[in-house]
């Protein structure tokens, strides 16, 4: 069952201007250390930051709150599997909100997809609730 859907579109040039103006102050306020390391290794640093910015906005919308009610930017973090697939991890208040919206007997799965085509970066987040298989029911 779908618990929430969020999308966001970020302007890469706007993120670049913000990086130019505020530098590390912006980076450390919004992005986790893992996100900063990933972006700073890329040729398109601003595009990488813009996709992660959009993912955080989309995740907050999927959680049904937007960036209010106590969610901090770093409570939502994008990393990548070895295959390159992006994944969203939530901590703090975002994790509490996710737990509160997940029905009993279910686990929450956060799906995220990122794309960019200069000057735009887009993210879509879908939060799914999957029934937890009862291990006892699988026994013969």
């Amino acid at each position: 069952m779908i618990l929430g859907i969020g999308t966001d579109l970020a302007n890469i040039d706007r993120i670049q201007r913000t990086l130019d103006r505020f530098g590390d102050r912006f980076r450390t306020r919004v992005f986790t250390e893992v996100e900063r390391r990933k972006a700073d290794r890329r040729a398109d640093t601003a595009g990488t930051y813009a996709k992660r910015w959009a993912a955080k906005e989309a995740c907050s919308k999927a959680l049904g709150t937007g960036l209010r009610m106590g969610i901090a930017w770093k409570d939502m973090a994008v990393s990548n599997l070895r295959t390159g697939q992006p994944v969203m991890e939530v901590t703090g208040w975002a994790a509490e909100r996710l737990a509160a919206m997940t029905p009993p007997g279910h686990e929450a799965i956060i799906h995220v997809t990122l794309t960019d085509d200069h000057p735009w970066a887009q993210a879509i987040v879908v939060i799914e609730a999957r029934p937890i298989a009862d291990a006892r029911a699988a026994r013969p």
Side-chain angles (χ1 to χ4, degrees):
M1 114 184 40
I2 302 300
L3 298 179
I5 299 172
T7 186
D8 193 67
L9 188 66
N11 184 288
I12 296 169
D13 294 333
R14 179 176 154 249
I15 296 296
Q16 182 64 65
R17 287 191 302 273
T18 303
L19 289 166
D20 292 344
R21 182 171 179 196
F22 297 105
D24 283 340
R25 188 170 144 212
F26 171 65
R27 284 181 188 91
T28 57
R29 179 176 163 255
V30 175
F31 301 99
T32 66
E33 184 179 332
V34 170
E35 290 173 313
R36 293 190 308 267
R37 278 197 317 261
K38 173 81 169 181
D40 292 340
R41 284 194 316 259
R42 307 293 292 268
D44 183 14
T45 301
T48 302
Y49 278 122
K51 285 185 280 191
R52 278 146 180 75
W53 171 279
K56 292 168 185 273
E57 288 273 6
C59 184
S60 70
K61 293 170 185 175
L63 288 168
T65 64
L67 285 164
R68 58 183 175 85
M69 296 177 59
I71 288 183
W73 285 104
K74 292 196 281 187
D75 283 349
M76 302 164 287
V78 178
S79 61
N80 296 84
L81 300 178
R82 293 186 67 187
T83 61
Q85 176 184 348
V87 293
M88 177 69 69
E89 297 173 37
V90 294
T91 58
W93 197 89
E96 292 173 21
R97 171 70 180 148
L98 182 62
M101 62 191 286
T102 304
H106 290 73
E107 63 179 336
I109 310 295
I110 301 174
H111 304 276
V112 61
T113 186
L114 308 173
T115 191
D116 65 294
D117 187 7
H118 197 90
W120 301 108
Q122 182 182 28
I124 298 170
V125 171
V126 176
I127 302 175
E128 171 191 11
R130 284 189 196 157
I132 298 172
D134 185 358
R136 292 172 291 177
R139 292 185 192 154

